[in-house]
Amino acid sequence: MAIFPMTRLRRLRANPGIRKLVRETQVTTQNLVMPIFIRPGKKQKREIKTMPGIFQLSPDLALKECEQLLKSGISSVLLFGIPESKDAMAHSGYAEDGIVQQSLKLIKSELPEMLLICDVCMCDYTDHGHCGVVKEENGQKIIANDPSLEILSHIAGSFARAGADVIAPSDMMDGRVQVIRDELDAAGFKHLPIMSYAVKYASSFYGPFREALENQPKFGDRKSYQMDPANSREAILEAKQDLAEAADILMVKPALPYLDIISKLREQFSVPLAAYQVSGEYSMIKFAAKHGAGNEETMVMESWTAIKRAGADIIISYFARDYAKSL
Ligand code: PBG
């Protein structure tokens, strides 16, 4: 490579035309997934205080939201349910008429072209707020891995029967992709892909989500099942495990603080990669912009570009609805 003054790297930055021509990374609406929180009722729309602009919606309004999304070019949503009732074993998660099941049937029948991805976890449906079964061991409460697997597979099977297009387990129990795959195959859903939250860190950036889903753990934290933010080699082990269990798509979560992990997975694996720009990442940009610390639109565009540049194919983002038009 020649050096300055023969080489001038600024030549390719001089105007919008040349910048566009040499741009390496392009985010499109096809890369985006919009999360939706669904609560029981009709015409219910409750804003989440820590996530201005994001709402819990009843199924009828979730359907309206999907119509809007399709118009703006977004055809994938990630569904979360806030059930009528919660218990220790997450029964409402696999009720025939559960909140997600109802919504799946409604949206599928009205908008068959919408891709419905379902978050599969116990914490949406447990009164203790943990992602697995709570057991007492030597006088201590623990989140028991193996007993949780059957329940997770019930939830996944139930979503599949109600019309889910993609099953996305987010619980971080060991072995759950395998039991879910077995359940889906046995129930006649061999074709349904699993998007595994393979690399999910025990992150402080999930704070606003727990208000959105009303699933703050009643005791302890999630560090015995979600990953330690300090670990990067372990991300490869998690990804390999889930691939061995036949996960079709791998996810890294959160996104921006973990770009190194996305890039590492991109180098090692050929399956599609998703990255979840989580609730705290949304609120960080939202509140910064609200207080005049930056331009919301350009911060969103830059964050999406960075996530894609790091190697993600799919971006799950609460900004998807409002900024699809900017792409
Ligand atoms: C449920 C789940 C969580 C998120 C997605 N699925 C919360 C958690 O694990 O504590 C976080 C999403 C967000 O913060 O936007 N297991």
Side-chain angles (χ1 to χ4, degrees):
M1 187 183 178
I3 55 162
F4 176 81
M6 289 87 83
T7 295
R8 289 179 182 270
L9 292 172
R10 288 183 55 188
R11 282 184 202 121
L12 301 185
R13 295 175 205 152
N15 59 62
I18 194 74
R19 289 198 293 273
K20 234 186 335 194
L21 186 70
V22 301
R23 187 159 297 141
E24 298 174 31
T25 307
Q26 192 82 48
V27 179
T28 75
T29 54
Q30 295 161 49
N31 303 127
L32 294 175
V33 178
M34 178 73 191
I36 302 185
F37 301 118
I38 311 180
R39 64 168 306 115
K42 278 216 162 86
K43 300 216 173 356
Q44 296 285 316
K45 181 173 182 180
R46 296 197 197 168
E47 189 162 27
I48 295 144
K49 275 199 237 45
T50 51
M51 301 178 78
I54 301 297
F55 302 84
Q56 295 178 342
L57 301 171
S58 49
D60 53 329
L61 296 188
L63 175 65
K64 287 257 147 52
E65 172 103 332
C66 288
E67 278 167 13
Q68 270 325 106
L69 288 168
L70 280 174
K71 278 190 197 133
S72 60
I74 295 180
S75 52
S76 303
V77 288
L78 175 61
L79 303 182
F80 293 94
I82 299 127
E84 205 101 51
S85 68
K86 301 187 181 192
D87 62 22
M89 302 298 271
H91 282 101
S92 53
Y94 51 97
E96 206 60 52
D97 60 345
I99 181 69
V100 172
Q101 287 83 348
Q102 285 176 36
S103 311
L104 283 168
K105 286 174 202 156
L106 177 69
I107 302 170
K108 251 295 105 117
S109 65
E110 298 288 322
L111 304 169
E113 67 275 43
M114 197 88 210
L115 189 86
L116 305 176
I117 309 172
C118 285
D119 184 274
V120 168
C121 193
M122 283 178 63
C123 69
D124 323 25
Y125 311 100
T126 51
D127 49 11
H128 48 69
H130 276 288
C131 306
V133 173
V134 177
K135 285 248 153 93
E136 193 108 351
E137 220 173 78
N138 306 322
Q140 277 215 321
K141 283 184 174 163
I142 59 142
I143 314 307
N145 194 85
D146 300 7
S148 308
L149 298 178
E150 193 184 345
I151 298 175
L152 292 163
S153 72
H154 288 334
I155 299 175
S158 175
F159 288 169
R161 283 189 296 279
D165 293 301
V166 179
I167 296 295
S170 70
D171 51 280
M172 287 302 278
M173 299 299 128
D174 286 323
R176 90 289 195 174
V177 173
Q178 187 173 358
V179 294
I180 289 174
R181 185 72 270 160
D182 287 347
E183 169 84 14
L184 293 176
D185 289 359
F189 297 101
K190 288 192 167 64
H191 58 282
L192 269 202
I194 295 177
M195 176 196 280
S196 165
Y197 288 67
V199 181
K200 175 174 175 181
Y201 287 91
S203 170
S204 290
F205 290 97
Y206 307 150
F209 176 89
R210 295 190 184 158
E211 185 206 335
L213 217 60
E214 302 169 10
N215 70 342
Q216 182 67 32
K218 294 283 184 312
F219 64 91
D221 53 39
R222 302 205 204 283
K223 291 180 184 163
S224 75
Y225 43 104
Q226 299 179 351
M227 286 175 61
D228 184 339
N231 292 356
S232 128
R233 295 191 301 266
E234 191 187 351
I236 303 296
L237 295 179
E238 279 288 357
K240 280 189 178 160
Q241 283 287 312
D242 284 8
L243 286 176
E245 294 173 29
D248 302 281
I249 300 172
L250 298 178
M251 192 197 300
V252 174
K253 174 182 170 196
L256 266 200
Y258 296 88
L259 293 181
D260 58 322
I261 306 296
I262 297 173
S263 135
K264 210 167 171 164
L265 257 63
R266 174 75 303 153
E267 275 171 27
Q268 297 230 8
F269 304 105
S270 303
V271 291
L273 281 186
Y276 197 146
Q277 182 174 47
V278 300
S279 56
E281 297 179 71
Y282 173 86
S283 303
M284 211 160 51
I285 292 178
K286 199 76 183 176
F287 286 116
K290 269 188 186 297
H291 290 276
N295 176 288
E296 183 171 306
E297 179 175 16
T298 55
M299 286 194 284
V300 171
M301 291 303 128
E302 185 174 333
S303 65
W304 285 352
T305 303
I307 293 165
K308 184 138 193 219
R309 189 196 64 228
D313 306 293
I314 301 161
I315 301 172
I316 303 167
S317 172
Y318 300 96
F319 286 116
R321 182 196 63 216
D322 291 347
Y323 289 107
K325 60 178 187 315
S326 312
L327 293 171

